[in-house]
Amino acid sequence: MLRSASGSLVKVFKKSLVPATRVGSVLPSRLSHGGPVESDEEFDCRYEAFFNRKDIDGWEIRKGMNDLAGMDLVPDPKIINAAMYACRRVNDYALAVRFLESCKDKCGPKLNEIYPYILQEIKPTLIELGIETPEELGYDKPELALENVYDM
């Protein structure tokens, strides 16, 4: 008895405190956030300028690289070159190599098309800075992998 009385009391309070609203119509199109749309060239210039800052530190470089890794794109070679120079300015060789690995992973299923082009474009910068690619360092093969027992 108490349960049914409390249930009906809750319904009465709910109707009196929360006014019922009705949806007049549904919008047929998806609303955008209304922000400015950035072109590819503006995007490239923004990240290139970010990495070319003279006062950039290691944390900011990692932040920029992490932001690029989280996007659905492969960075342009101009951006990669700027990132390599930034790594050289803060003297972080490992970060440069890891960023190259990240760019390789971002190529996805088109690895054989995109990655050779990127290497071709950034090779002069890598030679100038003395940075080796992950393949030259042997990072493309597992170091401690055992031979498959079925192939022995």
Side-chain angles (χ1 to χ4, degrees):
M1 179 71 186
L2 181 63
R3 185 178 292 177
S4 65
S6 64
S8 61
L9 188 61
V10 168
K11 288 180 188 177
V12 169
F13 280 133
K14 192 181 233 183
K15 286 183 182 179
S16 66
L17 295 176
V18 180
T21 58
R22 295 192 179 263
V23 176
S25 65
V26 177
L27 295 174
S29 65
R30 191 172 126 190
L31 296 176
S32 178
H33 59 78
V37 177
E38 189 177 41
S39 71
D40 292 339
E41 291 81 22
E42 292 170 338
F43 176 84
D44 293 345
C45 289
R46 180 167 57 96
Y47 270 94
E48 190 175 7
F50 176 79
F51 286 122
N52 284 334
R53 289 183 13 227
K54 298 298 177 199
D55 63 337
I56 196 167
D57 63 356
W59 187 89
E60 290 176 320
I61 295 172
R62 283 177 176 78
K63 170 80 169 91
M65 289 179 177
N66 192 30
D67 291 345
L68 284 171
M71 295 179 192
D72 188 24
L73 55 84
V74 178
D76 195 70
K78 295 187 308 187
I79 297 173
I80 298 172
N81 282 337
M84 294 297 111
Y85 282 113
C87 290
R88 182 68 229 161
R89 278 195 303 279
V90 297
N91 203 20
D92 198 342
Y93 185 82
L95 181 60
V97 174
R98 294 297 178 205
F99 184 59
L100 290 175
E101 282 182 323
S102 170
C103 293
K104 181 179 178 179
D105 288 342
K106 296 290 287 179
C107 294
K110 301 223 179 227
L111 178 69
N112 295 330
E113 299 170 30
I114 299 172
Y115 192 61
Y117 167 74
I118 289 174
L119 285 180
Q120 169 192 331
E121 295 295 315
I122 67 170
K123 196 64 172 171
T125 303
L126 296 179
I127 291 171
E128 176 187 346
L129 298 176
I131 299 172
E132 295 181 342
T133 63
E135 293 79 24
E136 292 169 346
L137 293 170
Y139 288 166
D140 58 333
K141 296 178 277 309
E143 183 178 356
L144 300 174
L146 297 175
E147 187 178 352
N148 190 349
V149 294
Y150 298 110
D151 294 338
M152 291 181 174

